[in-house]
Amino acid sequence: MSVSENMFCDISGMDWMISYIGWKSRSLPSRSNHFSVIAQVTDSFRFPDLEEKISRLKKLRAFLAGSVKRRFPVWIPRWYWGENFGPGILCESVSSEEEGAIRNFLPQGVAVKIRFFPRQKKLSFTFSHTVFDGIGAEKFIAFLLGPEFRDEPPFLRFPPDIPQMKQSGKDLQKIMRQFPEKKILRLPDPGSRTENKFETLFLTREQYQLLASAVERKYGPFSFSIFILALLLCQLERDLFPSEPSKEFVFVPMSVDLRAAQKLENDLFFNRWALMPLLVSRKILASGIPETFKHLRKLYTEALASRTPQTFFQASEAMKYVPFRLIDLFVRMNPARTLGTVMFSFLNSAGAMEGKIRNLYHCPTMPCGNTLGFFANVYDGNFNLVISRRPWKDDGKFLCFRRNLFEKLQEGEV
Amino acid sequence: MTLDTENITQALCREIATVTRKEEKEIRADGSLHDNGIDSMSFLELLLFIKREWGVDFLEEGIPPEAQKDIHSLAEHIQWKSEKK
């Protein structure tokens, strides 16, 4: 297929927010904010099979070697095909002892890098966030390892009409205005531009069930993900946050439970994270987990009642793009407000992929130095928690926080 | 107006299908919320729906264990709470 047949194309799972705000995304996927998904594979996985499948993806590879440009007059970022710019997907087997490569680095012209570590039986997928979001990444992995492989994946599509402005954009803008910059806490160290580090905790099926049962007994049914966020924030308040009375709130820019969307209405646009930023009072964090849990549940309920994330989900295809243009304008006026303190993401589950994967978790890269990222999920009954961060000058306080948090989870202390 | 358990059950199944993004026929009224794919966020959405639709507020106290057995039991509990008001 020639480039002229598809001059431009929207890509599924593109991180519109990051593209608009332009943290690091400068039009090439290799320069965007990457993230990795680690899959621990079973003995039935064969790397040559994967290589063979990828070699058949000629159209997709040309597609992924493209770049982002903004299109007049609405400045929607659009993906332009780029078959002459790079391989699109890199795939290699790594024989060294190097840990399952949570090294979020992509060469130019590459939007997905896959590395197989035979000794650890790990597959590390590094994705350009310009092109994929978390769910999109999982769908891509499922596509590669699942039974219904085709030479052309089902997630390419043509651009929508020019969007029109309606209520959904205004609602989101209103929410963004609620975050008063001076009251939002920042982590103490301004952070560096060094590579992300990842701290991981894995609980076995038995450990997770004990923990989840204890949480549900104390906080009620379906309370686990809110409890996990409450525990994280309370522990941060206790061990890591500075004692600045003027900073009254912790900003959690994303707090997600993506698995509510088991069946996507539109397979092509699976950037379905709930834009549910939370502003959490530090006074409440200091009062302990039960109070924090109640407060978070209230915040979630209010956010759900406002229907903002649902507005986003249910908006027409074109309407989904408008809010990000507005956020972009807002961010340009108030640049400091984009720097969140904590990002939290929770996936309730992830489907087993043809029995080839026994565990899977995400390793997000934090674009700003003074942020922490938390990713939690349950895969096939196992619980994973990943903390993403940049090393600080004084890591002592962070390591103390990490130890206390992991101990509480392992011991099922709720 | 007297609420009918069957109507409540049907409405709950419809809403559960919406919040879990499933087909309505996939929702089993004799299954638990968990079996029907409800998770922490969709649970909150369901509680909001119950409050909006029948004025029964579970947001503070939660749903009692006996009403969590299946969707029928939840519907019966909603009917009982609604009539008690």
Side-chain angles (χ1 to χ4, degrees), chain A residues 222 225 257 260 263 313 348, chain B residues 20-22 38-41:
Chain A
F222 308 106
S225 60
D257 195 321
K263 184 168 183 182
F313 289 157
N348 256 0
Chain B
T20 58
R21 274 88 176 173
K22 286 182 173 178
I38 291 286
D39 61 18
S40 51
M41 286 300 106

Side-chain angles (χ1 to χ4, degrees), chain A residues 179-315:
Chain A
F179 302 139
E181 182 195 345
K182 285 179 186 168
K183 291 183 177 178
I184 296 176
L185 179 81
R186 303 281 175 76
L187 288 169
D189 195 294
S192 61
R193 283 287 169 197
T194 54
E195 198 168 278
N196 268 232
K197 284 184 81 172
F198 301 96
E199 314 282 340
T200 50
L201 171 77
F202 307 113
L203 297 186
T204 62
R205 182 185 293 264
E206 292 72 29
Q207 284 175 309
Y208 166 65
Q209 279 174 354
L210 280 174
L211 177 66
S213 307
V215 169
E216 298 224 334
R217 270 198 306 278
K218 188 160 182 179
Y219 298 98
F222 308 106
S223 52
F224 191 69
S225 60
I226 299 176
F227 165 79
I228 290 292
L229 181 57
L231 175 68
L232 288 175
L233 293 176
C234 286
Q235 203 62 46
L236 280 167
E237 176 66 30
R238 184 172 296 177
D239 292 339
L240 203 58
F241 289 166
S243 50
E244 287 178 63
S246 62
K247 306 291 183 188
E248 295 170 30
F249 297 100
V250 178
F251 178 37
V252 186
M254 283 172 67
S255 53
V256 203
D257 195 321
L258 291 161
R259 286 299 153 173
Q262 289 189 358
K263 184 168 183 182
L264 303 176
E265 289 152 17
N266 180 357
D267 275 353
L268 306 175
F269 188 95
F270 38 73
N271 204 4
R272 295 182 71 90
W273 45 267
L275 187 66
M276 200 181 285
L278 301 176
L279 207 54
V280 187
S281 159
R282 291 182 64 199
K283 272 186 194 160
I284 289 170
L285 295 184
S287 65
I289 297 174
E291 287 306 311
T292 303
F293 176 87
K294 278 188 206 164
H295 181 63
L296 286 175
R297 192 170 61 181
K298 182 168 167 282
L299 290 179
Y300 273 119
T301 311
E302 285 168 357
L304 286 166
S306 76
R307 311 299 295 173
T308 305
Q310 287 67 37
T311 306
F312 181 70
F313 289 157
Q314 291 165 7

